[in-house]
Amino acid sequence: MTEMTQTRTEFPFDVDVVEHMPIKLNSGETISARAWIPRTDGQVAAVLEHLPYRKDDMTLWRDEVQMQYLAGHGYACVRTDLRGTGDSDGVLEGEYLEQELADGVEVIAWIADQRWCDGNVGMWGISWGGFNALQVAALQPPALKAIVSVASTVDRYGADAHYNGGCVIGSEMLPWATSMLYRNGLPPTPRIVGEGWRELWLDRLEATPAFIEDWLSHQTRDEFWRQGSVCEDYSAVTVPALVVAGFADGYRNAPFDAVEGMPNRVWGLVGPWSHNYPEFGQPGPNIGFLQHCLRWWDRWLKGVENGIDHESRMRVWMQDSVVPADHYIERAGRWIAEAAWPPPAGHVVEEALFLDGDRLSSYPGTGHIECATPQLHGMLAGEWWGSGEPGTQPADQRIEDERSLTFTSDPVAEAVEILGFPQVDLRIRGDQPDALIAVRLCDLAPDGLSLLVSRGQLNLTHRNSHEMPEPLVPGEPFDVTIRLDAAAHSLPVGHRWQLAVATTNWPLAWPSPVAATVSIELGAASGLRLPTREPRAEDDRLPEFGPAEYAPPTCVTRSEER
């Protein structure tokens, strides 16, 4: 947390905290909830967060400081343990299964029917909770009126911690599966669950699966991944959605994709943040996100005409060039906005640069160039998902650049800003049936420092489809387009764009079975397309978010040494 975060202690409402609120499902099983209820004689709107991360210990501090804040402003807040986690019944058998989402629909109906609720419910969450907020919304429970989804995805196969560009994400899949295996095997809280806690625990230890077995059994974009991917049918999400992400996280693309897919009901917010709520964590600047959420809930759960629905569809932190580092307390920049995404004509203009020898040129090159990189390439590219901790962000890329095939532009005479998805087009030939291509876009300073701006990768057997891979025919040319991750970056005068191309990307991409060499045709079919944006005066008139705030926790649990 940055030093600017403020703890607020005075609120319009006093709050009653209910440590264990059992929610009986139609199946007879019980979902355990913690609730924060404003002390009032009237009924209030409610906000739900539906997670597997153990409300009584793992997320207790965060839940307390956020839910106390919202409840202190008049919202009933409910935090559930998913079926099979924490103090709830059952076993969690996977991510975002139909049962989990159906439980979410049932929980929302239960909340709406409580004597303290006025029938209007919102759903919010980060990561898993951001995912299922979108997914439950697609099931259209009648009482659900709006959602806030932070650090999430609309595509479980193409934009999550398992596969990226059809490649197994080596740095994420096994650690993520391992962490869920041990979390799901932890015991419930005896004083809450009662005498049956030990039997429930032993059942979980016996029945909890290793999620990675399913993930590696579905290496293409089949029905396993389509389940819960709202991009399969954007029209199913009919309520207003605020989709939030940070550029220091692997989920940075979701707001852009969500606003494009649901332009009439989604607002996007992208800051410099890591995998955290915007009022917490590094890099900052942190913002008054809870205040922003209050405006959101006031508009959609209470019907207050506060103007938030008339604000720009995309609000983005345009990042300044900085000295590369593996950790930032804050990233310099400024807020910009677009009324729609994709933006209106002329707001973002595509600039094409072609591969020409070792240059990025305004004119197509000629000939061919071969690329075969060592397996160590990718080691310094930072985490895929961003914890924000020291050592996790991409540091100076010069060593990575030396391991790659690089193409560099002339120094820019005027600052150039990009917003959106850079794209790389390549006409290539491979010498093996299996190969991959990884690309990095860097900001190259006059002193040689190389700052990672965006990256992308593609399993070339997926060049035509993530559903039906096709082996390469050695020596046969083909065209591919690789969409890099969303970026908002200002390239200063005298700096250069550098595109790095590699055939390896460990640990972000599992290695090809045999080391491959690809030949790139230098011509009109091979180049970089940059989404350039001119600064606009209206950016300086955007409303302020205010300082980051949250409430003090009402309880502290201290474990004695043993």
Side-chain angles (χ1 to χ4, degrees):
M1 295 168 289
T2 66
E3 293 181 356
M4 294 182 63
T5 305
Q6 302 176 8
T7 301
R8 181 167 177 170
T9 57
E10 295 184 0
F11 296 94
F13 292 87
D14 293 328
V15 177
D16 292 321
V17 181
V18 182
E19 184 181 51
H20 173 56
M21 182 178 282
I23 302 174
K24 201 75 169 180
L25 301 174
N26 292 331
S27 64
E29 294 181 288
T30 297
I31 294 289
S32 178
R34 181 184 294 264
W36 294 258
I37 310 296
R39 201 172 295 163
T40 173
D41 294 333
Q43 294 178 315
V44 296
V47 176
L48 166 68
E49 188 170 19
H50 194 45
L51 285 176
Y53 299 142
R54 301 177 58 88
K55 59 182 172 53
D56 294 312
D57 43 43
M58 286 185 60
T59 65
L60 179 58
W61 181 87
R62 187 184 77 194
D63 295 344
E64 282 276 294
V65 301
Q66 290 186 318
M67 300 302 202
Q68 284 279 356
Y69 190 98
L70 296 179
H73 285 90
Y75 287 91
C77 295
V78 180
R79 162 71 168 86
T80 51
D81 283 336
L82 296 186
R83 179 195 296 252
T85 69
D87 298 327
S88 295
D89 291 344
V91 173
L92 184 64
E93 298 183 345
E95 297 175 313
Y96 323 116
L97 301 182
E98 290 182 353
Q99 183 66 67
E100 171 190 331
L101 306 185
D103 288 350
V105 171
E106 201 170 334
V107 167
I108 288 170
W110 182 90
I111 293 171
D113 196 43
Q114 298 309 295
R115 58 176 177 76
W116 38 260
C117 183
D118 66 7
N120 296 299
V121 181
M123 192 171 180
W124 80 330
I126 183 171
S127 199
W128 195 304
F131 280 44
N132 65 26
L134 283 163
Q135 294 159 356
V136 170
L139 299 178
Q140 301 178 8
L144 185 65
K145 301 302 194 298
I147 64 171
V148 175
S149 177
V150 182
S152 65
T153 188
V154 297
D155 183 354
R156 292 187 54 220
Y157 181 79
D160 196 5
H162 315 99
Y163 294 90
N164 182 253
C167 304
V168 172
I169 306 179
S171 60
E172 306 302 328
M173 187 183 284
L174 179 58
W176 176 232
T178 304
S179 68
M180 287 307 300
L181 186 63
Y182 88 74
R183 290 172 183 177
N184 295 343
L186 292 172
T189 308
R191 63 183 169 79
I192 289 178
V193 173
E195 293 182 358
W197 74 269
R198 185 175 180 82
E199 289 73 23
L200 177 56
W201 182 28
L202 293 176
D203 287 345
R204 286 183 185 170
L205 288 174
E206 179 68 27
T208 292
F211 292 177
I212 197 168
E213 294 178 1
D214 276 341
W215 300 343
L216 288 176
S217 298
H218 296 272
Q219 297 197 16
T220 60
R221 196 175 189 282
D222 60 11
E223 184 56 36
F224 178 85
W225 300 108
R226 286 193 284 269
Q227 156 65 28
S229 292
V230 297
C231 64
E232 290 292 306
D233 181 13
Y234 280 125
S235 67
V237 179
T238 58
V239 298
L242 175 62
V243 181
V244 184
F247 283 122
D249 187 29
Y251 296 100
R252 63 203 289 179
N253 300 334
F256 295 91
D257 290 334
V259 174
E260 181 172 4
M262 300 171 276
N264 297 321
R265 54 199 180 279
V266 176
W267 283 256
L269 173 62
V270 188
W273 315 298
S274 58
H275 196 76
N276 215 326
Y277 279 101
E279 75 271 29
F280 301 134
Q282 297 174 355
N286 301 131
I287 63 169
F289 185 62
L290 291 176
Q291 300 96 298
H292 192 65
C293 288
L294 281 174
R295 293 184 63 223
W296 180 262
W297 300 130
D298 285 350
R299 175 65 187 92
W300 302 115
L301 302 188
K302 294 183 178 178
V304 177
E305 295 286 350
N306 56 21
I308 198 169
D309 51 323
H310 299 300
E311 293 181 1
S312 301
R313 291 288 170 162
M314 286 296 301
R315 185 86 174 262
V316 181
W317 186 252
M318 176 61 70
Q319 301 191 119
D320 290 344
S321 182
V322 293
V323 174
D326 63 14
H327 172 246
Y328 301 97
I329 296 175
E330 292 199 351
R331 275 297 301 263
R334 72 185 197 283
W335 288 108
I336 63 171
E338 290 292 345
W341 193 266
H347 280 214
V348 174
V349 178
E350 187 173 272
E351 177 187 359
L353 297 171
F354 299 96
L355 309 189
D356 181 11
D358 60 356
R359 299 178 60 247
L360 288 173
S361 171
S362 299
Y363 304 97
T366 58
H368 296 79
I369 188 168
E370 289 194 344
C371 181
T373 56
Q375 188 55 51
L376 286 175
H377 173 265
M379 292 289 289
L380 301 178
E383 292 180 337
W384 180 85
W385 82 285
S387 67
E389 299 296 321
T392 60
Q393 294 294 301
D396 185 1
Q397 296 292 289
R398 280 180 292 184
I399 293 177
E400 297 283 39
D401 295 343
E402 291 171 0
R403 296 168 176 162
S404 311
L405 192 63
T406 57
F407 304 88
T408 309
S409 73
D410 293 331
V412 296
E414 297 180 352
V416 176
E417 296 186 351
I418 62 170
L419 174 65
F421 297 98
Q423 297 190 78
V424 174
D425 303 310
L426 298 172
R427 177 165 292 166
I428 55 181
R429 294 175 173 84
D431 69 343
Q432 301 292 333
D434 292 272
L436 67 91
I437 285 288
V439 292
R440 288 175 295 111
L441 177 64
C442 294
D443 169 344
L444 195 63
D447 60 4
L449 293 175
S450 183
L451 173 67
L452 183 63
V453 174
S454 184
R455 62 190 174 198
Q457 61 187 24
L458 179 64
N459 178 342
L460 293 176
T461 68
H462 290 227
R463 62 196 180 278
N464 295 320
S465 165
H466 286 306
E467 289 80 10
M468 301 290 292
E470 304 170 57
L472 280 63
V473 178
E476 182 176 293
F478 57 90
D479 294 334
V480 294
T481 295
I482 302 172
R483 188 184 84 163
L484 278 62
D485 289 332
H489 184 77
S490 181
L491 187 74
V493 172
H495 287 226
R496 296 177 288 168
W497 295 116
Q498 180 166 273
L499 182 69
V501 181
T503 54
T504 55
N505 202 26
W506 180 256
L508 297 180
W510 200 262
S512 300
V514 177
T517 298
V518 300
S519 176
I520 302 172
E521 180 179 313
L522 304 180
S526 295
L528 168 67
R529 288 180 281 148
L530 293 171
T532 62
R533 179 189 189 273
E534 292 286 340
R536 296 200 296 274
E538 56 263 36
D539 294 335
D540 297 330
R541 298 191 291 269
L542 293 173
E544 298 287 340
F545 284 109
E549 290 185 349
Y550 49 73
T554 58
C555 63
V556 175
T557 302
R558 178 173 295 152
S559 298
E560 295 183 8
E561 291 184 21
R562 52 184 161 181

